[in-house]
Amino acid sequence: MTDDMVRELAAALDAAYRERARLQDELDTTTAAYQRRTRQAHQWRDLARGLSDDLRQARADRDRAISTSQQLRVGLVAARERLGVGREEAGR
């Protein structure tokens, strides 16, 4: 091999190492971005689950409140009817 050939091969090898280093940096950057987005997606998923649980609890609370309100209304109607019957009997 001549000195020129050795220099050309050394220059090509240096260029390949630089390209490899550039690609490695790009891979590291992409990997870090992927990991950040994955963590963020997990946080969003956890938040969504929490909100879903909160919504489920709110619906159960609302249903209990509606049921209680209906029971109170029935009791009020019954009390009014008893009161009305009591007034009618008192009026006789």
Side-chain angles (χ1 to χ4, degrees), residues 2-42:
T2 66
D3 288 341
D4 289 340
M5 291 173 74
V6 170
R7 278 190 291 276
E8 286 176 19
L9 288 174
L13 186 58
D14 287 344
Y17 282 137
R18 283 191 304 276
E19 180 64 8
R20 180 182 177 279
R22 184 189 71 76
L23 291 172
Q24 185 64 49
D25 288 345
E26 192 172 319
L27 176 62
D28 291 345
T29 301
T30 303
T31 301
Y34 171 79
Q35 290 171 344
R36 274 192 312 275
R37 288 186 179 123
T38 299
R39 280 191 303 275
Q40 190 176 39
H42 288 234

Side-chain angles (χ1 to χ4, degrees), residues 72-82:
L72 290 172
R73 258 190 228 131
V74 168
L76 181 60
V77 168
R80 284 181 179 162
E81 287 175 356
R82 283 193 301 272

Side-chain angles (χ1 to χ4, degrees), residues 38-56:
T38 299
R39 280 191 303 275
Q40 190 176 39
H42 288 234
Q43 290 171 345
W44 288 344
R45 182 196 62 212
D46 293 344
L47 178 61
R49 284 182 181 162
L51 292 173
S52 180
D53 292 343
D54 291 347
L55 180 58
R56 227 177 276 111

